[in-house]
Amino acid sequence: MSILGSQYDVIQKLGEGGMGVVYLARDTMIQRLVAIKQLHRDGGSEEESLGERFQAEALALAKLNHPNITHLYSFIPKEDTYWMIMEYVEGKTLEDWLKIHQKITHQLAASIAVQILDGLEHAHRKGIIHRDIKPANVMINEDGEVKIMDFGIARMRNAQRITSHGKSVGTLEYMAPEQIQGHEGDERIDVYAVGNILYEMLSGSTPFQSDTDYRLMKDKLEKRAESIIQYNSTVPVSFEKIIFKALQCNPNKRYKSAMEMKIAIEKNLGSSLLDQSTLTDV
Ligand code: ATP
Ligand code: MG
Ligand code: MG
């Protein structure tokens, strides 16, 4: 099968999400592998808003140029179909990767988090908040290199709400408390989500487990998550503190930015390295 005349030869389907199908294809003009996200516009109001979201995702991605964010090569609307031609990222989603690598070391978790924070810091500087950071929207390869994808509900600061019907956006498990409460929020929403991912990578599950959405929301707003160390005794208390600061219910008590959180993690790793070297020196 080819897409857009004979420009792209489809090799296989990579995945399917809420927005459309993603294919691996080869750009026949320059012999480069690409990922193509395809969305059909079938008419009707719901489909129309999906199309708008898709275009908004492309607009957000087009402003970004960072090694930890999936690059957008081009966005092509034609008749009743949209195509997003993207960098092909080899590897797995962090969600799938975590099924194989459980309770990883805090150093490895830190390396993954720092890369996500690096990408986020770049997006935030361009005025773009991701709003749906979760393991399913992060790719990781064999070398532990990380790329953020799926800026599907990302939104320009001060811009029109992209979602239709004023529904809240994001995935409940990873959503910041202020998002659950229907507030617009700022970059600290993404900081919270990175705290969530770190918690999950180290303990094996997200901070709050509830059988109903209502309970989950209530727990997120009222409870403090259980200590990670009881699930993973190798995690230093000082590192857990960083995660709990990112997971603060009140955004004013969190790190102010992705950059600030990144610095805290790096400082923590540096000081624990120092601890180890003084131990071996003695
Ligand atoms: P949703 O919004 O419901 O999460 P979506 O329709 O926005 O889904 P994506 O999450 O972007 O779709 O992609 C669906 C799947 O396709 C991903 O889980 C991933 O496996 C694969 N995929 C997407 N983009 C790429 C890419 N650039 N390189 C490799 N694989 C990709
Ligand atoms: Mg996705
Ligand atoms: Mg999406």
Side-chain angles (χ1 to χ4, degrees), residues 19 37 150 152:
M19 296 250 246
K37 203 187 230 186
D150 205 8

Side-chain angles (χ1 to χ4, degrees), residues 14-20 22 35 37 53 57 70 86-90 93 132 134 136-137 139 149-150 152:
L14 287 172
E16 198 160 356
M19 296 250 246
V22 183
K37 203 187 230 186
R53 266 180 67 169
E57 175 174 357
T70 312
M86 293 177 287
E87 170 187 12
Y88 167 56
V89 184
E90 265 192 280
T93 66
D132 195 19
K134 56 181 175 179
N137 285 336
M139 296 283 292
M149 54 173 197
D150 205 8

